[in-house]
Amino acid sequence: MSHKPSQNQQAKKTATSSPDLGTRLSNASRRQWVWFAVWGVATILFSLWVGSPWISLFILLFFDIYITKFVPWSFWKQSKNSTFRKTMEWVDAILFALIAVYFINTFFFQNYQIPTSSLEKSLLVGDFLAVSKMSYGPRAPITPLSFPLAQHTMPVVGGKSYIDKPQWKYRRLKGFGEVKRNDIVVFNFPTGDTVALNQQGTDFYLLSKYNPNGSAGVRSDKRTYGEIVYRPVDRRENYVKRCIGLPGETIELKDDAVYIDGTRLPNPRLSQHNYMIHTDGTIISPDVFKELAVNKGDYLKYDAYGQIVIHSQDLTGADSLSMAWNRLYPRNGNNGRVYFNIPLTDGMVEQLKAKPFVWDVIKEKEQPGQAYYYPLNYETGWTRDTFGPLWIPKKGATIHFDSDTDFKVAAYERCIKNYEGNDFAYRDGKVYINGQPADSYTFQFDYYFMMGDNRHNSADSRVWGFVPEDHIVGQPMLIWLSLEKDNNWFNGKIRWKRLFRSAKIPA
């Protein structure tokens, strides 16, 4: 015997059932339709920009959020438990903020703090920059699953801030322009692919070069070096330098002057070099250095007892040969006092020379094999001041291994192997790429030559080589905060005059 529901039961079922699609569409307010239209148009435009039609499927998500509401996205708002509602309000706000920050950080802007003096006096240690990713086109995520605002390490708790897989291929979206000469550029540190966690401030490849057992010795000595980790391209440390050489050009330094394709390139207006300051024996006071805007770390050193002292040398009793070697000469039997490794701009040099107690200000010269360890130094004897000529690889250009093979291998092996993902070997004067003998190679990326304005205190392309195009992050646009590390909060910690200034410092 069949059982039919009563009229009251049918009415109750109809009253409690969800409205159909037509009812939901007719019940949607004008405000809901406006918000859906805004997000729908934004999704379509973003899909066209990125070049992925799959992104347009998010329109269906927004249609349900604002119009149909089949999925109870805000179910927690109906809960009678006030604690649960408050908790979910925070969770909802935090999730929205994280998604928004991830989106903005990936495609539009990123914060960056200047950690070293390599660009002084153009950009200062303690400058906080807003870096535009639109300047050169944002790079589509290579390691998409990562925590917002953390480059490679989770704040406070430590550990990796990203998940290794999936790894997407490099692709750059349309931007406002391309990298130009003298642009200040933020990029991922090219040789930061492998890192010793206990010594992250030192290039792993330099650590391996100095270890008697090479990279195997570094990997086995966990007490000294810690764990050895690999970082994907977009998770490597961020660096900032000035672009000096462009793809396809030949760069050369002669006596610290830069030449591009044989034409001399003027030094940046605020570039610095290391000088010796020779005085009549007078100790230069901290006030004089402060007046010159020389950082404390540039003239203060530690003595054998750990005490901070002004780094200078009394030349009384110094032999004439060592003084002449450094181009220092006594006056009236007085050898004077000398300060070493003081970074100065041309303007600062003139200010010092005007001091009555200063005899001379002499630019320091680096000797071959002294301080810079770009791999080519071992082949050529180049220094930071005398370097090149060196051709910068260009996408689509081909090099041939029919002459100067040792030099070309030293110059371009890392590009071919590490950046463009080929197996590379060099045996008995013959190059093998992906297991096959190779007489030539065609580059897949454009490369750039980066240098710091603080020319004698900058680890840059003279040290670790070229910057591939897939490592380019963006261009600094604005200094939104600047903190002086030598001062406290009540005595000039904030450099007010630098706030909200353009970070596009011309050369």
Side-chain angles (χ1 to χ4, degrees):
M1 184 175 81
S2 62
H3 176 73
K4 295 183 178 180
S6 65
Q7 290 182 349
N8 289 338
Q9 289 174 320
Q10 288 179 335
K12 184 176 181 180
K13 181 177 180 181
T14 302
T16 58
S17 63
S18 299
D20 57 23
L21 178 59
T23 303
R24 291 172 184 269
L25 293 175
S26 61
N27 288 341
S29 66
R30 178 179 295 179
R31 181 173 178 272
Q32 289 173 272
W33 281 105
V34 169
W35 276 111
F36 165 67
V38 169
W39 283 105
V41 170
T43 301
I44 292 172
L45 293 176
F46 185 72
S47 176
L48 293 173
W49 181 40
V50 174
S52 174
W54 295 103
I55 292 177
S56 60
L57 293 177
F58 277 95
I59 294 176
L60 299 177
L61 173 66
F62 294 127
F63 189 72
D64 186 65
I65 290 174
Y66 289 105
I67 306 300
T68 58
K69 300 186 178 182
F70 281 114
V71 178
W73 300 100
S74 302
F75 68 94
W76 47 271
K77 292 182 178 180
Q78 311 302 323
S79 174
K80 296 180 180 179
N81 187 323
S82 61
T83 302
F84 177 72
R85 289 199 309 273
K86 289 291 184 183
T87 301
M88 289 305 298
E89 284 178 8
W90 279 102
V91 171
D92 180 67
I94 291 172
L95 284 176
F96 179 82
L98 289 176
I99 292 172
V101 167
Y102 178 87
F103 184 81
I104 293 171
N105 211 43
T106 300
F107 296 101
F108 296 99
F109 290 98
Q110 181 175 335
N111 179 55
Y112 180 76
Q113 179 185 358
I114 299 291
T116 69
S117 62
S118 67
L119 274 170
E120 300 235 359
K121 295 297 185 185
S122 298
L123 295 175
L124 307 182
V125 174
D127 281 349
F128 288 77
L129 312 176
V131 178
S132 168
K133 296 192 172 182
M134 295 295 295
S135 294
Y136 310 127
R139 181 180 55 191
I142 297 174
T143 311
L145 301 181
S146 61
F147 188 81
L149 296 180
Q151 180 62 17
H152 48 67
T153 304
M154 286 293 291
V156 183
V157 297
K160 289 198 306 185
S161 63
Y162 58 93
I163 298 175
D164 292 296
K165 294 182 179 180
Q167 283 288 303
W168 293 347
K169 290 184 177 181
Y170 161 70
R171 190 163 64 91
R172 191 170 295 275
L173 308 183
K174 183 69 174 177
F176 295 137
E178 298 178 346
V179 178
K180 298 184 293 295
R181 189 180 339 280
N182 287 321
D183 280 0
I184 295 178
V185 181
V186 174
F187 54 91
N188 295 116
F189 183 36
T191 57
D193 51 358
T194 307
V195 179
L197 292 183
N198 284 0
Q199 298 192 27
Q200 296 191 41
T202 305
D203 186 336
F204 172 81
Y205 299 96
L206 284 182
L207 293 175
S208 301
K209 192 176 294 293
Y210 287 117
N211 190 288
N213 298 313
S215 61
V218 175
R219 294 179 184 277
S220 61
D221 188 357
K222 295 189 182 299
R223 174 177 295 182
T224 302
Y225 302 104
E227 292 291 330
I228 309 301
V229 300
Y230 173 82
R231 287 174 179 161
V233 171
D234 56 343
R235 297 296 108 194
R236 295 169 191 171
E237 201 69 60
N238 285 329
Y239 268 42
V240 59
K241 306 288 180 187
R242 192 182 294 276
C243 179
I244 299 297
L246 298 173
E249 296 180 338
T250 297
I251 187 169
E252 184 175 9
L253 275 77
K254 300 177 184 178
D255 193 24
D256 199 50
V258 177
Y259 292 80
I260 299 294
D261 292 337
T263 301
R264 181 168 179 169
L265 185 69
N267 283 336
R269 180 175 54 88
L270 296 176
S271 63
Q272 292 190 139
H273 300 87
N274 281 357
Y275 288 84
M276 293 181 291
I277 305 173
H278 193 193
T279 76
D280 59 7
T282 300
I283 296 176
I284 303 177
S285 72
D287 289 338
V288 172
F289 283 120
K290 186 174 182 179
E291 174 191 334
L292 291 168
V294 176
N295 296 326
K296 288 183 179 179
D298 292 329
Y299 66 87
L300 292 182
K301 310 295 178 184
Y302 289 91
D303 64 16
Y305 302 98
Q307 301 297 313
I308 295 179
V309 296
I310 294 180
H311 182 56
S312 65
Q313 180 182 346
D314 184 351
L315 296 179
T316 301
D319 65 273
S320 57
L321 183 62
S322 61
M323 288 189 63
W325 175 262
N326 287 299
R327 294 170 291 162
L328 304 171
Y329 302 97
R331 300 189 185 185
N332 300 322
N334 178 11
N335 286 350
R337 178 181 293 272
V338 67
Y339 291 76
F340 295 99
N341 303 321
I342 306 298
L344 303 170
T345 65
D346 291 345
M348 294 159 70
V349 169
E350 294 306 313
Q351 284 182 266
L352 268 172
K353 287 182 176 180
K355 304 290 182 184
F357 56 84
V358 174
W359 282 350
D360 212 348
V361 183
I362 304 168
K363 183 186 289 187
E364 295 184 356
K365 288 184 176 293
E366 183 181 79
Q367 302 303 315
Q370 190 171 336
Y372 275 64
Y373 300 97
Y374 183 63
L376 287 180
N377 290 1
Y378 296 94
E379 297 289 335
T380 62
W382 295 350
T383 71
R384 66 187 178 187
D385 298 328
T386 303
F387 184 98
L390 179 65
W391 178 76
I392 305 169
K394 180 180 177 64
K395 183 177 181 179
T398 300
I399 58 169
H400 298 272
F401 301 111
D402 54 358
S403 62
D404 299 323
T405 305
D406 289 347
F407 173 84
K408 291 175 181 175
V409 168
Y412 306 115
E413 176 182 2
R414 184 168 182 83
C415 300
I416 298 170
K417 179 180 178 181
N418 296 72
Y419 303 144
E420 302 195 2
N422 298 284
D423 179 58
F424 186 96
Y426 183 51
R427 299 188 300 269
D428 302 323
K430 185 66 178 176
V431 170
Y432 297 84
I433 298 178
N434 297 323
Q436 301 297 319
D439 296 323
S440 63
Y441 180 78
T442 300
F443 290 98
Q444 306 302 308
F445 287 155
D446 281 329
Y447 292 82
Y448 302 89
F449 198 94
M450 306 288 186
M451 290 177 63
D453 289 357
N454 195 352
R455 291 292 170 81
H456 286 171
N457 293 293
S458 174
D460 50 38
S461 286
R462 293 169 293 178
V463 181
W464 34 252
F466 309 110
V467 176
E469 63 174 82
D470 67 334
H471 284 56
I472 300 295
V473 174
Q475 183 180 32
M477 300 298 291
L478 180 73
I479 302 171
W480 62 270
L481 177 64
S482 185
L483 302 179
E484 174 55 67
K485 63 183 178 66
D486 292 337
N487 297 338
N488 59 47
W489 289 103
F490 301 102
N491 185 30
K493 182 71 171 179
I494 300 176
R495 304 184 186 108
W496 294 102
K497 292 183 179 180
R498 293 187 65 80
L499 268 57
F500 303 108
R501 285 178 51 182
S502 172
K504 298 175 68 174
I505 310 297

